[in-house]
Amino acid sequence: MFWDQAWLAFAVFFETAQWFVFPIAILAGLALLPRRRVFLQSLVLTTFAAFALKLFFQQDRPCVVEQALVACPPDFGLPSIHSALSGVFIMASLGTRYAWVVVPIGMLVAYSRIFLNVHSTEQVIAGFALAAIAYLATWLHVQRAQEKKK
Amino acid sequence: MTDTRTFEAARQWFHILFGGFLLAGALTLGPAHTRLGYFVALLIGLAILQFKMRGHSLPLIDAVLQRFERRNALFPGQGALMYFAGALFVLSFAPFDFALAAIAIVAFGDGFATLVGLYGKWPLPWNPRKKTEGLLAFIFSAAAISSLVLPAGHAITYSIILGILETIDLPVDDNLLLPVAATFLYYAVPL
């Protein structure tokens, strides 16, 4: 019973406090994680791409048809921005000891979107795919630019 | 040079055969399970990368990387991770049949282009580092395999466009570029 309530509180927290939580998480990421330039650039790229893809595909959220555990967000569902941003944090934490914290939290945030019925599994996976592409492409690009400077 | 060719040829055969195995699995599993399977594979790859970047030794993984990973890789398992990320992207944003075709084009087209290009004689006018024979190998092999899931005309068209794109030296890995470009093509150039 306690874990059910705790899990629900966690899921609702990341829905209702997202505009507060993500900026703090980004600042923490910039302070603690390596490859800061890659992290910031891929965050920006992922965010813009996610919003653009939402407008392009205009795929409804599952809560449009079946009630969600929170108020159904008014925008479209594909991809999940929560899971996309979590994916960037996960990629950025690779190689650090913070990954052991960031990865479980990121995965739980992504799964919470399905649990709340504000995203489908496919929409959450799409968010991760976008994050992986954006981070890997940015990482390669920055690394090659640095090698050229040398 | 011979050692480089032998290494690269082995790498590309592994790429082709592994891609074929994944395709066969995808055709068996269907859209939802394939997406989930590629997602889990990506997560496993990231977990392995985490262990490797933290300095841990994974004997079996190390042996595969030693045999098949390019020496100038940015991180261990770069090729495989980028392959799964690109495949997951096209599986997430394009219809399943087209996504399978795009994955097949990357696996077979890119693989055969490199294999044949290693021994090619005629450089491309717009990129002398790549060979005409490699481009033709890309188009023929990609069209052949993707025509298993797409109409022949569509398979040939996408293979030509992606084959030409693959010959341009862009600062993005082909395993990322080709699936994203394919997804964009599907919606920008409806056939």
Side-chain angles (χ1 to χ4, degrees), chain B residues 137-154:
Chain B
F138 184 110
I139 294 169
F140 282 118
S141 59
I145 197 71
S146 58
S147 62
L148 294 177
V149 287
L150 288 180
H154 296 189

Side-chain angles (χ1 to χ4, degrees), chain A residues 10-28:
Chain A
F10 175 92
V12 171
F13 175 73
F14 274 96
E15 167 62 22
T16 54
Q18 55 188 299
W19 300 111
F20 169 74
V21 169
F22 273 114
I24 291 180
I26 291 168
L27 288 173

